[in-house]
């Protein structure tokens, strides 16, 4: 008698090598696979490789082992930049996603005049190129000639210093919210639209109020999408680069070369010629992002089980 | 410099616009003996607008040399591309647009060819300070192209209205700043753009600051010396009194110049044309005067900006590339056009001293011959200044630390201590022996 494990041997092997129809998915994935290998995997491998060395202007290249990584651990500039992002994210992400949820619910209710206009208008900033956005906001925040400054002067109160050291994180958070609010709203709106209408009918027949429908049916069904959006936002926040990079033009004395970790890595490669160290910084940042995302998924998953 | 609004670059954009309809009038040239016997192709990187004009003139004079002009980014992005090419060992141009201030940084990685054998015959055509910055003895690493001697551009109407004389010394400048702001709370004598390394460097250069001395791999770094401390104390006092602003080079600042919020700009030789482009409403009210002096008995100035053409060491055609760089910077017809089409401030003595350039009058400056002021300045540039071999880092450190002090992290003087520490640490890390 054959043991139940045995049939897995030769025959199983053959069935694991895809042939004929089974090959189709791999063929379809191949273009992505190639691009992924060339533009993501290869640069990552190369970056990791150079992060193990140290190139200097005098003396050339030496093997550095983990020295670059150890240095990141005690690099105040890196951790201060990360600290900035923590402060930024803890305020910006809940505000943005909260608003996006609210707006999606309002839109979904379908009792709004010019609904399509609202949808488009809120989504539009997402399509505005970063450079244009920086010009717009640079003007709006302008401490002397911006609209707020002009208004303050007209009513004779001190102009708000929206580009000052204290206000800068909020000013950037405002730009990021403006940019991505519509994007997340559309995602949530699409998810709400996917909720089968008979659920609403059933709920109404059971005498649920509109609020109860939102609270007990729509929000729970939206939950996976919101969790996904939070993970995306954690990723986006920790990689913040464009907005501070562009606002630096308007506030060069406030945003320094290490304002966020990505800006720091950029400065390290362009001004410092410290490619090796920049690679190490990037990998540590990647690790921080992975940890933060994992931690969040862990916490939200545990809560759900409760 | 990173994402700083590089006003030299904006100026060029501006110029493209100013040049506008100006027709392409080129002199007919008789071709001199071409260097190449068989056809050779060169790649030239530059961000100068309408440079094709002079490149075409070169090609007419050199039928065997083909030149591909590439805009590989304006300033900082171009240098980033060049660094990437140097690391990869491919994709490099034969001749490259290189600002004076970054020559030694790229020489540190041995990027440039010594073109002394082709260039030295032109030495006497150039101003002493520009030649000094591109050469080391008989070795020549770039051809001077344009320059930026410092002077002061100011609003005559504002100073007159408040009965303030044009300051000749820094003491008078401080006094004028305090009096002007006291007379009108919405007006400042100047916006001190400490976030721009090049600007700060120029003023310190004039004051006698010599932050870096190099001897092989030995670097003497004296960033926080008494010159810097006095300079910092001078401006800190003005900032503490609220008599000047320090907001950086931003679009708001351009508007401020135009609207009369700032009554002067401590600017360079390329400044007059640049300002005329951004401050149209205040046309006719501007004048130029000498850069204020630290001592009444002497006249010393410095440079901010200015470019060269350098030949890359990797070129396959050194003689032809050197011919391209030297011809484009010395040919009488081509170089004259830089001052009329692209408005570069010349480094060739003959053009500097020509009536047409020095006596050129412009309505924007109330028909004052402002170039005269800058020509005078170009002759008084202190020659004894050395750039660091890692100027991009140096500028970034200045911008970061001076910015932090403006934001309340200590005084400007403290900032120079921090710059000293960060530059010395960086230099040591990069393998230099650092002396203090």
């Amino acid at each position: 008698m054959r043991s139940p494990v045995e049939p897995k041997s030769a025959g199983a092997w053959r069935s694991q090598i895809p042939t004929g129809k089974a090959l189709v998915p791999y063929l379809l994935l191949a273009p992505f696979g190639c691009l992924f290998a060339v533009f993501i995997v290869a640069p990552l491998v190369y970056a990791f490789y150079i992060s193990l060395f140290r190139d200097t202007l005098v003396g050339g290249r030496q093997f550095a082992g983990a020295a670059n990584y150890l240095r990141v651990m005690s690099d105040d500039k890196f951790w201060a930049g990360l600290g900035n992002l923590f402060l930024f994210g803890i305020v910006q992400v809940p505000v943005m996603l909260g608003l996006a949820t609210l707006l999606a619910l309002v839109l979904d209710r379908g009792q709004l005049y010019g609904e399509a206009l609202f949808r488009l208008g809120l989504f539009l900033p997402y399509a505005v190129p970063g450079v244009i956005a920086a010009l717009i906001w640079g003007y709006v925040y302008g401490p002397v000639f911006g609209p707020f400054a002009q208004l303050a002067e007209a009513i004779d109160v001190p102009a708000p210093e929206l580009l000052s050291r204290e206000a800068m994180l909020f000013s950037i958070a405002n730009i990021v919210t403006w940019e991505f609010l519509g994007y997340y709203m559309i995602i949530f709106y699409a998810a709400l639209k996917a909720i089968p209408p008979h659920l609403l009918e059933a709920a109404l027949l059971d005498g649920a109020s509109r609020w109860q429908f939102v609270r007990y049916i729509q929000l729970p069904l939206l939950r996976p999408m919101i969790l996904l959006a939070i993970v995306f936002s954690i990723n986006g926040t920790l990689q913040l680069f464009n907005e501070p990079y562009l606002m630096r033009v308007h506030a060069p004395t406030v945003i320094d070369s290490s304002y966020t970790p990505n800006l720091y890595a950029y400065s390290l490669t362009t001004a410092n010629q410290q490619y090796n160290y920049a690679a190490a910084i990037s990998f540590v940042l990647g690790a921080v992002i992975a940890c933060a995302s994992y931690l969040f998924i862990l916490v939200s998953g545990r809560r759900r089980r409760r | 410099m990173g994402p700083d609004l590089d006003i030299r670059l904006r100026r060029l954009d501006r110029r493209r616009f100013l040049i506008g309809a100006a027709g392409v009038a080129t002199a007919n040239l008789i071709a001199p003996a071409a260097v190449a016997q068989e056809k050779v192709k060169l790649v030239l990187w530059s961000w100068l607008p309408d440079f094709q004009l002079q490149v075409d003139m070169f090609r007419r004079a050199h039928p065997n040399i083909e030149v591909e002009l590439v805009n590989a980014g304006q300033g900082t992005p171009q240098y980033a591309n060049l660094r990437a090419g140097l690391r990869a060992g491919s994709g490099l141009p034969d001749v490259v647009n290189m600002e004076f201030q970054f020559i030694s940084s790229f020489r540190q990685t041995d990027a440039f060819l010594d073109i002394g054998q082709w260039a030295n015959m032109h030495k006497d055509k150039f101003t002493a300070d520009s030649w000094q910055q591109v050469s080391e003895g008989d070795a020549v690493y770039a051809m001077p192209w344009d320059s930026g001697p410092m002077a002061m551009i100011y609003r005559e109407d504002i100073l007159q209205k408040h009965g303030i004389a044009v300051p000749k010394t820094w003491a008078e400048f401080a006094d004028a700043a305090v009096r002007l702001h006291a007379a009108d709370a919405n007006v400042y004598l100047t916006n001190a753009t400490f976030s721009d390394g090049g600007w700060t460097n120029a003023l310190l250069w004039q004051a006698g600051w010599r932050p870096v001395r190099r001897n092989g791999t030995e670097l003497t770094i004296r960033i926080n010396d008494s010159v810097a401390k006095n300079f910092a104390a001078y401006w800190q006092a003005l900032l503490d009194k609220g008599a000047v602003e320090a907001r950086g080079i931003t679009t708001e600042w351009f508007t401020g110049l135009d609207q009369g919020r700032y009554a002067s700009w401590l600017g360079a030789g390329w400044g007059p044309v640049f300002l005329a482009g951004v401050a149209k409403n205040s046309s006719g009210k501007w004048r130029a005067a000498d850069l204020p002096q630290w001592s009444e008995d002497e006249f010393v100035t410095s440079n901010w900006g200015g470019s060269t053409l350098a030949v890359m060491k990797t070129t396959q055609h050194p003689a032809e590339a050197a011919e391209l760089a030297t011809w484009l910077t010395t040919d009488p017809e081509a170089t004259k056009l830089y001052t009329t089409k692209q408005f570069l401030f010349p480094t060739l003595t003959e053009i500097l001293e020509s009536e047409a350039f020095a006596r050129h009058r412009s309505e924007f400056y109330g028909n004052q011959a402002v170039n005269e002021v800058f020509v005078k300045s170009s002759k008084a540039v202190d020659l004894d200044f050395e750039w660091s071999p890692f100027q991009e880092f140096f500028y970034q450190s200045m911008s970061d630390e001076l910015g932090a002090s403006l934001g309340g992290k200590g005084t400007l003087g403290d900032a120079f201590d921090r710059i000293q520490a960060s530059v010395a640490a960086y230099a040591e890390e990069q393998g230099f022996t650092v002396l203090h």
Side-chain angles (χ1 to χ4, degrees):
Chain A
M1 215 175 90
R2 289 178 161 187
S3 79
V5 198
E6 204 143 13
K8 267 210 151 183
S9 59
W13 257 113
R14 212 170 299 131
S15 73
Q16 270 173 10
I17 296 170
T19 49
K21 262 191 185 166
L23 213 59
V24 172
Y26 295 97
L27 278 174
L28 291 174
L29 281 173
F32 164 77
C34 289
L35 293 175
F36 185 74
V38 172
F39 291 107
I40 306 282
V41 178
L44 275 177
V45 170
Y46 178 67
F48 182 70
Y49 171 74
I50 66 169
S51 74
L52 302 177
F53 290 85
R54 211 161 68 93
D55 277 315
T56 54
L57 290 173
V58 179
R61 173 172 295 193
Q62 305 115 42
F63 183 73
N68 287 325
Y69 289 92
L70 290 174
R71 198 178 143 194
V72 181
M73 294 302 138
S74 58
D75 188 337
D76 293 343
K77 287 185 170 179
F78 176 76
W79 297 106
L82 214 54
N84 275 343
L85 291 183
F86 182 75
L87 290 176
F88 173 92
I90 210 124
V91 176
Q92 193 266 338
V93 174
V95 167
M96 176 179 69
L97 295 182
L99 277 174
T101 311
L102 190 71
L103 287 168
L105 287 168
V106 169
L107 279 179
D108 180 63
R109 195 157 177 192
Q111 289 173 349
L112 206 62
Y113 286 106
E115 187 200 309
L117 202 71
F118 271 100
R119 222 163 45 203
L120 184 71
L122 284 162
F123 185 73
L124 204 60
Y126 182 68
V128 173
V131 180
I132 309 284
L135 276 176
I136 297 171
W137 288 103
Y139 167 69
V140 172
Y141 291 158
V144 183
F145 300 104
F148 290 114
Q150 298 282 321
L151 189 70
E153 200 189 309
I155 57 172
D156 215 22
V157 296
E161 290 277 352
L162 299 170
L163 293 178
S164 67
R165 203 155 286 258
E166 296 74 25
M168 186 51 83
L169 277 180
F170 289 97
S171 295
I172 293 177
N174 186 45
I175 298 175
V176 175
T177 305
W178 172 80
E179 276 180 299
F180 290 99
L181 179 61
Y183 174 77
Y184 286 116
M185 180 199 75
I186 294 284
I187 290 182
F188 294 163
Y189 177 71
L192 288 175
K193 280 282 170 226
I195 296 174
H198 67 254
L199 284 181
L200 175 60
E201 279 168 38
L204 292 179
L205 280 176
D206 285 345
S209 70
R210 186 78 210 188
W211 164 244
Q212 283 171 325
F213 177 66
V214 169
R215 172 73 184 80
Y216 295 108
I217 296 178
Q218 284 187 308
L219 283 181
L221 287 172
L222 201 55
R223 192 171 182 274
M225 209 44 97
I226 294 178
L227 292 183
L228 188 70
I230 293 175
V231 173
F232 282 173
S233 300
I234 291 173
N235 269 272
T237 299
L238 290 171
Q239 295 188 63
L240 194 69
F241 175 81
N242 270 349
E243 292 76 13
Y245 175 81
L246 292 166
M247 288 316 282
R248 208 173 167 193
V249 169
H250 302 288
T253 57
V254 175
I255 298 177
D256 63 18
S257 62
S258 56
Y259 198 72
T260 72
N262 255 351
L263 200 56
Y264 186 34
Y266 173 82
S267 311
L268 284 169
T269 54
T270 51
N272 301 35
Q273 299 178 64
Q274 290 172 317
Y275 308 94
N276 316 91
Y277 188 51
I281 289 262
S282 304
F283 271 98
V284 176
L285 179 62
V288 170
I289 293 172
C291 287
S293 303
Y294 181 71
L295 207 68
F296 172 75
I297 291 167
L298 204 70
V299 169
S300 58
R302 185 168 295 164
R303 264 180 131 186
R304 190 183 201 168
R305 276 196 293 277
R306 244 191 291 155
Chain B
M1 293 198 296
D4 287 19
L5 246 195
D6 188 337
I7 64 176
R8 269 185 51 73
L9 308 177
R10 285 185 68 96
R11 157 188 66 119
L12 295 176
D13 273 350
R14 189 69 234 162
R15 282 170 179 187
R16 182 189 279 290
F17 177 70
L18 284 176
I19 294 154
V24 180
T26 51
N28 285 320
L29 287 169
I30 300 152
V35 178
Q37 295 308 309
E38 55 217 74
K39 270 213 183 261
V40 158
K41 196 187 161 196
L42 299 176
V43 176
L44 167 63
W45 280 10
S46 173
W47 64 83
L48 181 73
D50 298 320
F51 192 23
Q52 192 65 46
L53 180 65
Q54 284 91 351
V55 170
D56 285 343
M57 292 169 71
F58 174 85
R59 290 192 56 188
R60 275 195 291 280
H62 302 77
N64 283 334
I65 305 180
E66 201 177 313
V67 182
E68 187 192 347
L69 176 61
V70 177
N71 182 344
Q74 302 195 330
T76 311
Q78 185 209 264
Y79 299 134
N81 286 337
L82 200 63
R83 290 243 183 257
L86 284 165
R87 275 184 71 80
S90 66
L92 290 166
D94 297 284
V95 177
V96 66
N97 187 348
M98 179 62 42
E99 287 164 275
F100 283 104
Q101 57 203 3
F102 296 119
I103 292 175
S104 73
S105 303
F106 279 92
R107 272 194 59 200
Q108 183 60 43
T109 53
D110 205 18
F112 303 140
L113 185 72
D114 171 11
I115 53 169
Q117 56 171 308
W118 300 282
N120 271 319
M121 58 186 280
H122 300 293
K123 179 179 176 182
D124 296 337
K125 297 177 187 169
F126 289 94
T127 57
D129 78 290
S130 65
W131 197 260
Q132 180 254 344
Q133 289 187 72
V134 298
S135 61
E136 205 177 277
D138 273 344
V140 180
Y141 294 97
M143 290 300 288
W145 195 8
D146 80 306
S147 164
M150 292 287 288
M152 179 174 67
I153 308 176
Y154 66 97
R155 283 282 292 268
E156 189 182 47
D157 58 325
I158 296 178
L159 293 192
Q160 267 177 6
K161 184 179 159 194
H162 299 291
I164 294 169
V166 179
K168 289 190 169 53
T169 63
W170 286 110
E172 287 174 21
F173 186 88
D175 185 47
V178 173
R179 280 174 53 209
L180 184 60
H181 189 60
D184 185 341
N186 284 323
V187 179
Y188 297 87
L189 182 55
T190 205
N191 179 29
T193 53
F194 289 112
S195 54
D196 187 285
W199 181 85
T200 315
N201 188 79
L203 291 185
L204 280 161
W205 174 350
Q206 183 218 13
W209 190 53
R210 301 295 174 260
V212 174
R213 283 280 185 231
R214 182 179 176 172
N215 184 5
T217 57
E218 269 182 18
L219 280 183
T220 306
I221 300 176
R222 292 203 183 107
I223 292 166
N224 56 347
D225 65 353
S226 60
V227 176
K229 287 297 172 93
N230 288 338
F231 175 87
Y234 174 88
W235 286 99
Q236 188 68 53
L238 285 177
L239 287 169
D240 290 346
K241 286 177 197 157
V244 296
E245 286 202 308
R247 287 191 182 274
I249 294 179
T250 65
T251 40
E252 283 248 314
W253 173 64
F254 302 143
T255 317
L257 285 170
D258 201 17
Q259 309 266 317
R261 183 179 180 86
Y262 305 116
S264 80
W265 177 31
L266 302 160
W270 41 265
V273 178
F274 166 75
L275 187 66
V278 298
K280 291 223 171 79
N281 294 323
S282 48
S283 175
K285 297 171 179 167
W286 293 92
R287 300 290 181 276
D290 293 333
L291 191 64
Q293 296 294 310
W294 290 104
S295 153
E296 275 173 47
D297 321 319
E298 49 181 23
F299 185 66
V300 186
T301 61
S302 57
N303 271 326
W304 175 20
S307 287
T308 69
L309 286 177
V311 175
M312 299 299 294
K313 201 165 204 173
T314 48
T315 182
Q316 297 296 305
H317 312 287
E320 289 81 4
E323 172 67 10
L324 179 64
T326 51
W327 194 93
L328 285 173
T329 49
T330 58
D331 177 77
E333 293 302 323
T335 50
K336 209 176 285 170
L337 282 174
Y338 294 130
T339 62
T340 56
K341 297 285 180 220
Q342 285 113 338
F343 305 101
L344 297 184
F345 190 88
T347 46
L348 289 165
T349 332
E350 199 185 319
I351 297 181
L352 269 176
E353 283 169 3
S354 70
E355 285 285 301
F357 180 75
R359 305 292 306 162
H360 175 76
R361 288 166 196 286
S362 126
E363 258 175 53
F364 187 86
Y365 296 96
N367 286 321
Q368 184 194 0
V370 287
N371 281 347
E372 267 180 351
V373 176
F374 290 93
V375 170
K376 180 184 170 195
S377 169
S378 76
K379 290 174 182 166
V381 172
D382 191 327
L383 298 187
D384 180 43
F385 187 85
E386 214 176 303
W387 298 104
S388 75
F390 36 76
Q391 196 62 32
E392 297 122 298
F393 175 82
F394 200 110
Y395 276 162
Q396 178 179 282
S397 182
M398 282 175 77
S399 180
D400 279 359
E401 299 303 345
L402 289 166
S405 281
L406 292 173
K409 191 179 169 193
T411 61
L412 292 177
D414 299 335
F416 282 99
D417 291 338
R418 295 195 299 266
I419 301 165
Q420 168 80 29
S422 96
V423 171
Y426 178 82
E428 259 166 25
E429 227 177 77
Q430 292 296 327
F432 292 98
T433 308
V434 176
L435 310 171
H436 293 274

